[in-house]
């Protein structure tokens, strides 16, 4: 693998995870904030809110993980390695 | 997946290296088979031990199994609905237990002590082939569920509420298994990688919090996979009331 391809792959891997983390980060913050508000309003619903929150957080996390999968493919299974 | 292995100089991680077994024309990843057999064996042993001498007041393993059964049944009933959940309870339960025990087995069993000629043992779900197979099973399951319950009326679902939705619903059939498999694969592999990188940098104590976080997320991933599988099946068998 020539050096320009590996350099581009490493930069792209970093960008894939970094950029992929922005959106889900904002989304998780919004969701957690909403959950805190819900618990403050209605403390008896905490169990249900927590369960739903964890499930939705994991869904958002999956989006970053897609970026991570792309990064891992670039680093460890690069199709352009030649 | 044709993983071309190439090693990075700054981290000795064995990603993309496999113990290849030749089976006819197929090259299979042996380490995944070994660890899934261990997982299957552990699950079978647990269930056989737990149900051999059943008592009216469950104790020990039987108690654990009944708790699991209740848990999975509640989840399946909530997603699939009262009418159809009984048919799909074994499928959902098997998915959940296999994925859960795979994830935790990959993290808790000291696989590194067993040395393989190539590749390394770990969670079977950290291999894309396993998760794609599970996700395709889910796809088959919801098609079968919808077709067997509604016949060709199942395809009405594609043009409801308006025929404009048709392309989106068709694309959805492809994105469902894609996201199911990538979510599970990525999460489990990411957990293993984070622990491996931390253990590579600081071998003692420091990886422990990451390990606990990994156990937590892998349990949630098993739950999510099973919940989504149940949700897709529930969507397919759901009767529209006009």
């Amino acid at each position: 693998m020539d050096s320009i391809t590996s350099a581009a792959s490493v930069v792209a891997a970093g960008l894939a995870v970094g950029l992929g983390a922005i959106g889900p980060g904002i989304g998780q913050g919004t969701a957690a904030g909403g959950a805190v508000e819900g618990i403050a309003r209605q403390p008896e619903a905490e169990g249900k809110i927590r369960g739903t929150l964890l499930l939705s957080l994991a869904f958002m996390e999956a989006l970053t993980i897609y970026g991570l999968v792309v990064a891992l493919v670039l680093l460890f299974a690069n199709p352009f390695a030649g | 997946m044709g993983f071309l292995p190439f090693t990075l100089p700054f981290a000795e991680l064995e990603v993309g290296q496999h113990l290849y077994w030749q089976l006819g024309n197929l090259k299979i990843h042996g380490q995944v088979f070994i660890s899934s057999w261990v997982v299957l064996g552990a699950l079978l042993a647990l269930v056989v031990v737990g149900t051999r001498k059943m008592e009216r007041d469950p104790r020990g393993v039987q108690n654990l199994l009944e708790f699991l059964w209740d848990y999975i049944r509640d989840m399946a009933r909530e997603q699939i609905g009262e009418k159809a959940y009984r048919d799909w309870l074994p499928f959902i339960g098997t998915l959940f237990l296999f994925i859960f025990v795979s994830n935790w087995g990959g993290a808790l069993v000291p696989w590194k002590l067993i040395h393989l000629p190539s590749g390394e043992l770990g969670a079977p779900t950290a291999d894309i082939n396993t998760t794609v197979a599970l996700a395709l099973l889910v796809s088959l399951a919801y098609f079968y569920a919808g077709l067997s319950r509604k016949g060709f009326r199942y395809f009405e679902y594609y043009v409801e509420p308006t025929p404009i939705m048709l392309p989106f619903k068709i694309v959805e059939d492809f994105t469902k298994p894609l996201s199911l498999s990538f979510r599970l694969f990525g999460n489990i592999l990411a957990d293993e990688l984070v622990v491996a990188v931390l253990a590579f940098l600081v071998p003692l104590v420091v990886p422990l919090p990451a390990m606990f976080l990994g156990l937590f997320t892998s349990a949630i991933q098993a739950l999510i996979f099973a919940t989504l599988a149940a949700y897709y099946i529930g969507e397919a068998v759901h009767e529209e009331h006009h």
Side-chain angles (χ1 to χ4, degrees), chain B residues 47 128 137 144 146 165 171 182 187-188 214 221:
Chain B
V47 173
I128 185 85
L137 273 180
Y144 174 75
M165 294 299 282
V171 168
F182 270 32
N187 271 289
I188 304 308
Q221 287 308 318

Side-chain angles (χ1 to χ4, degrees), chain A residues 1 54-55 58-59 61-62 65-66 68-69 72-79 81-82, chain B residues 3-6 8 15 179 182-183 185-187 189-190 193 216-217 220-221 224 228:
Chain A
M1 180 149 114
L54 283 180
L55 209 67
F59 277 118
E61 194 140 301
I65 297 287
Y66 296 157
L68 181 78
V69 170
L72 290 177
V73 167
L74 283 174
L75 288 181
F76 296 106
N78 198 319
Chain B
F3 275 170
L4 302 170
F6 85 98
L8 284 176
V15 176
S179 67
F182 270 32
R183 181 182 302 118
F185 162 71
N187 271 289
L189 188 65
L193 277 182
F216 179 66
T217 48
I220 298 231
Q221 287 308 318
I224 284 186
L228 276 180

Side-chain angles (χ1 to χ4, degrees), chain A residues 69, chain B residues 1 3 29 124-133 181-182 185:
Chain A
V69 170
Chain B
M1 278 234 157
F3 275 170
H29 295 173
T125 38
D127 190 285
I128 185 85
N129 299 300
T130 315
T131 59
V132 167
S181 56
F182 270 32
F185 162 71

Side-chain angles (χ1 to χ4, degrees), chain B residues 159-170:
Chain B
V159 289
E160 270 168 6
T162 68
I164 302 166
M165 294 299 282
L166 181 66
F168 299 103
K169 299 253 168 138
I170 291 173

